Amino acid sequence: MRTLLGALLWAAACLPALAAPCPKTLRIGFGDVPLPPMLLGHGPGFQDPPGWAVQAARDALRRLGCTAELVRLPGRRLLRGLEVGELEFALFFSATAERLRSMRFPVESSGRADASWAPVVGHLALYGLAGSPALKAWDGNTLAAGVRVGVVAGSVQESLARDRHWTVEAASSFETSVLALRARRFELLLSARESLPPTQLSGDDALVELAPLVERQPYFAPASRAVHAEHPGFVAEFWRELCHATRRLSPEARGQDCGRPPR
């Protein structure tokens, strides 16, 4: 009996986890800049290997018994694609108030994004240039008066900085924000550690991370409103499987099991 029960459980574990049907059209977007080891290669094509984020999406799809077209686009086009329904999912984005209105995230009963199902929990920190006096401007609670902080316009970092009444300088993209910091348009850059290419964090002119962290920031695979309305069961299952796949492939990306609020 034990042998039979074990065989049945093993067989069940091998079956696709899907209880809801796959959408007929399923397009998943990724950024077009490298973020090793999460995403490798530059431009519209996928490198071989592509990085663990792509592998996690493929693993989630396999377990759900679905296929999808995977594409790489600039960050703004990914968000726009979700808003107009040209994409069904995009990896990975934080949940701002505007994004919660224009796309869909796993949410708590309060309507806030549910961080317990965020595939990635990033490290949001301030960065400065070596030798800058502003490297001593942050004590973990208060930022020294007069220090200007660079952010990407429309990002969760901009919302956080403005909520704290910091002096903000907004850049059009992550790449231009790093260039603006090096051009000394502002003294510090607020960014997720995971968004900084390794080349920016090593070498003689490496950006310097200020301690302590500003906060831990959850990142999600938001869905378009259309696919969520038409396939809510599938969307919830994809979010669940993607979180578990990320946890298996890159445990450091999420230091705690899925379904539990990150500490």
Side-chain angles (χ1 to χ4, degrees), residues 145-176:
V147 174
R148 298 167 298 172
V149 177
V151 295
V152 176
S155 67
V156 69
Q157 291 93 322
E158 181 180 19
S159 298
L160 184 151
R162 293 193 186 280
D163 287 346
R164 297 190 181 200
H165 304 291
W166 293 348
T167 301
V168 172
E169 295 284 345
S172 60
S173 67
F174 172 75
E175 293 81 2
T176 57

Side-chain angles (χ1 to χ4, degrees), residues 20-200:
C22 305
K24 291 182 179 179
T25 301
L26 188 53
R27 294 152 297 190
I28 302 176
F30 300 80
D32 63 349
V33 295
L35 294 171
M38 181 190 308
L39 185 61
L40 305 178
H42 192 284
F46 288 94
Q47 185 173 304
D48 186 16
W52 64 253
V54 180
Q55 292 172 332
R58 288 173 174 168
D59 188 39
L61 291 166
R62 178 185 59 79
R63 292 178 66 83
L64 294 172
C66 298
T67 59
E69 178 186 2
L70 307 186
V71 298
R72 298 189 70 176
L73 296 167
R76 286 180 177 271
R77 287 186 60 191
L78 287 176
L79 292 172
R80 180 60 178 164
L82 283 177
E83 291 170 353
V84 302
E86 293 175 352
L87 297 173
E88 279 63 55
F89 295 94
L91 283 67
F92 291 109
F93 288 95
S94 53
T96 65
E98 180 181 351
R99 291 173 189 171
L100 283 166
R101 290 190 296 268
S102 62
M103 54 195 72
R104 296 294 177 259
F105 293 77
V107 293
E108 302 172 347
S109 58
S110 64
R112 298 181 60 182
D114 188 354
S116 65
W117 291 103
V120 175
V121 180
H123 303 75
L124 198 60
L126 289 162
Y127 291 86
L129 301 176
S132 170
L135 296 179
K136 299 180 180 180
W138 170 245
D139 64 5
N141 294 301
T142 305
L143 188 67
V147 174
R148 298 167 298 172
V149 177
V151 295
V152 176
S155 67
V156 69
Q157 291 93 322
E158 181 180 19
S159 298
L160 184 151
R162 293 193 186 280
D163 287 346
R164 297 190 181 200
H165 304 291
W166 293 348
T167 301
V168 172
E169 295 284 345
S172 60
S173 67
F174 172 75
E175 293 81 2
T176 57
S177 71
V178 174
L179 293 174
L181 173 65
R182 294 194 180 281
R184 292 174 170 76
R185 274 185 44 199
F186 41 79
E187 289 76 39
L188 297 175
L189 172 66
L190 181 61
S191 175
R193 182 188 299 161
E194 291 74 14
S195 296
L196 287 169
T199 54
Q200 300 288 355

Side-chain angles (χ1 to χ4, degrees), residues 20-25 89 225-237:
C22 305
K24 291 182 179 179
T25 301
F89 295 94
R225 290 177 295 180
V227 74
H228 188 267
E230 295 173 11
H231 302 276
F234 168 79
V235 170
E237 289 172 346

